[in-house]
């Protein structure tokens, strides 16, 4: 198993990473952001891809509930 890269100084100073994505909403797209607690972009992306089914369901549930802030669905990793 590969070890993940250590965070760079810039990544440490930037703090936790987020991943932006879109989901289909009829004939349009809905912007979404997943805020993670992970220090590197690579780790955040790996978490996102590994947990995509759960993240997509959460985004669709938020869309159905109408919890959109400034035109964007914001999810937070717990």
């Amino acid at each position: 198993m590969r070890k993940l890269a250590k965070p760079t100084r810039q990544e440490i100073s930037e703090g936790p990473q987020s991943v932006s994505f879109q989901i289909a909403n009829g004939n349009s797209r809905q912007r979404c952001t997943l805020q993670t607690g992970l220090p590197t972009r690579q780790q955040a992306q790996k978490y996102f891809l590994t947990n995509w089914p759960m993240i997509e369901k959460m985004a669709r549930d938020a869309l159905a509930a109408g919890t959109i802030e400034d035109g964007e669905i914001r999810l937070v990793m717990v």
Side-chain angles (χ1 to χ4, degrees), residues 1-58:
M1 181 176 219
R2 279 179 58 187
K3 291 185 179 180
L4 294 172
K6 292 183 180 179
T8 64
R9 285 186 185 164
Q10 180 180 355
E11 288 172 328
I12 291 170
S13 67
E14 289 175 353
Q17 300 293 307
S18 63
V19 179
S20 296
F21 62 100
Q22 296 179 347
I23 58 173
N25 181 16
N27 290 334
S28 63
R29 296 261 179 201
Q30 178 62 53
R31 274 187 328 205
C32 305
T33 301
L34 171 67
Q35 179 66 47
T36 72
L38 302 169
T40 68
R41 182 87 177 143
Q42 180 185 13
Q43 290 173 335
Q45 191 69 25
K46 184 173 181 176
Y47 177 85
F48 173 76
L49 293 173
T50 302
N51 295 292
W52 170 245
M54 176 186 63
I55 293 167
E56 181 185 20
K57 182 180 181 328
M58 289 171 54

Side-chain angles (χ1 to χ4, degrees), residues 50-76:
T50 302
N51 295 292
W52 170 245
M54 176 186 63
I55 293 167
E56 181 185 20
K57 182 180 181 328
M58 289 171 54
R60 294 200 179 279
D61 290 347
L63 181 64
T67 54
I68 300 171
E69 300 174 28
D70 299 326
E72 183 174 53
I73 294 173
R74 295 190 177 114
L75 304 174
V76 178

